[in-house]
Amino acid sequence: MGFIERIKQQAKSKVKTIVLPESFEGRNLKAAAQILAEGLAKIVLIGARDAIEKEAGGLDLSGATFIDPQSYAGMGELAEKLYELRKAKGLTLAQAAELLSTKPLYLAAMLVKEGIADGMVAGAQYSTGEVMLPGLQILKTAPGVSLVSTFFVMVVPDCEYGNEGIFVFSDCGLVQNPDAAQMAAIGKSAADSYRRLVGEPVVAMLSHSTKGSAKHPDVDKVVEATRLLKEMAPDLKADGEFQLDAAIVPSIGAAKAPGNPVAGKANVLVFPDLDAANIGYKLVERLAKAQAYGPITQGIGKPLNDLSRGCSVEDIVGVVAITAVQAQG
């Protein structure tokens, strides 16, 4: 059974409710119908039911819950709660009500905050920044976590590396140029994400250097991040700094870092900055024909996940299933 099939089975074992705020977008509607048919999650769509069903053009959305901002009985209470959350930042009650009635992403985030839904998925129409802003403002960081970041689950076909070709790449979508402490936090969150979704993590902190082969402040950052990660999670199998080949190819790991328990065995790859991570995942996706599920958010108070604007229906279904599993805790 492949990765996403296992995730789907896990999602079905304890069904959660996921809100899709881009409720008039064609791929989202097709995905919603498929998710409901497969029993992967309960689905909340935002907007008037008749208008959404007209847009869906015969897709079976009968199992969905429809929340119309113009008639939903709980709008006043949600506005009050959003006002309380953001009044210190200057938000008025009238502005809170306006946001919820006109901005589906804000309404979706409040539905998750209040437990009406267990998670949300968006990004087919909106940029990562637009999706993440209400999440960071409303859901905030999880207890004990200092930084919200993202990861991709990369499933590489016919691959002998990682866990049968399954990797987590982080951070590919949010933290532009992490300092050492932030990179360490990303490493810890990525390991937790891998453990929850795949199995036992082996974390490589990536660089253009392997164990001192190059000298540069960029390398120093990764060395310090590795030290901090080991201090933060002493039982975690993690090390660095590694070049990519030394991290995942056993023979090269053995040659460049002999005896190292991580070299050549990594399945969680933590990149030194967003440029490297974003380029890296897209290279693997396009050239190796890998499935790329994400960017999945980690470290946030409740599950909120972003989609690539180039996503397919199957991508949305997969991210919803992952979000549902995250919501299971």
Side-chain angles (χ1 to χ4, degrees), residues 310-323:
C311 64
S312 67
V313 171
E314 285 300 327
D315 291 335
I316 299 172
V317 172
V319 172
V320 167
I322 291 170
T323 307

Side-chain angles (χ1 to χ4, degrees), residues 76-282:
E77 183 178 356
L78 290 177
E80 288 275 3
K81 290 186 174 180
L82 177 57
Y83 164 67
E84 289 297 328
L85 280 173
R86 302 293 297 168
K87 65 182 180 181
K89 300 294 185 181
L91 187 74
T92 67
L93 180 57
Q95 289 169 334
E98 178 73 9
L99 274 177
L100 295 178
S101 63
T102 61
K103 305 289 186 183
L105 294 175
Y106 276 86
L107 178 52
M110 281 302 297
L111 293 173
V112 176
K113 174 72 173 176
E114 294 305 307
I116 298 163
D118 300 303
M120 66 177 276
V121 173
Q125 292 175 301
Y126 295 99
S127 69
T128 295
E130 290 172 310
V131 172
M132 292 306 302
L133 182 60
L136 293 172
Q137 290 179 346
I138 292 168
L139 302 176
K140 306 184 184 297
T141 56
V145 177
S146 62
L147 182 73
V148 174
S149 57
T150 72
F151 66 95
F152 272 82
V153 178
M154 304 297 298
V155 183
V156 187
D158 303 317
C159 178
E160 61 191 288
Y161 307 128
N163 184 343
E164 299 179 346
I166 304 174
F167 295 87
V168 156
F169 287 17
S170 192
D171 174 8
C172 304
L174 193 59
V175 185
Q176 181 71 46
N177 188 18
D179 61 24
Q182 291 173 321
M183 190 176 174
I186 290 167
K188 174 63 166 60
S189 291
D192 292 341
S193 296
Y194 196 92
R195 184 178 291 110
R196 177 172 293 172
L197 297 173
V198 185
E200 194 59 29
V202 181
V203 182
M205 308 294 273
L206 296 183
S207 173
H208 68 274
S209 169
T210 296
K211 293 298 181 181
S213 66
K215 303 295 182 184
H216 190 275
D218 288 349
V219 178
D220 296 340
K221 178 182 83 169
V222 181
V223 171
E224 175 64 5
T226 303
R227 184 190 71 79
L228 292 171
L229 176 58
K230 289 181 174 183
E231 190 176 88
M232 185 187 308
D235 295 331
L236 179 64
K237 190 176 284 188
D239 208 355
E241 85 284 10
F242 289 125
Q243 294 162 299
L244 185 279
D245 55 357
I248 67 170
V249 181
S251 60
I252 296 176
K256 291 187 175 184
N260 188 285
V262 171
K265 303 179 181 70
N267 49 38
V268 176
L269 305 180
V270 181
F271 291 79
D273 59 43
L274 187 58
D275 286 337
N278 192 272
I279 292 166
Y281 102 76
K282 288 182 177 178

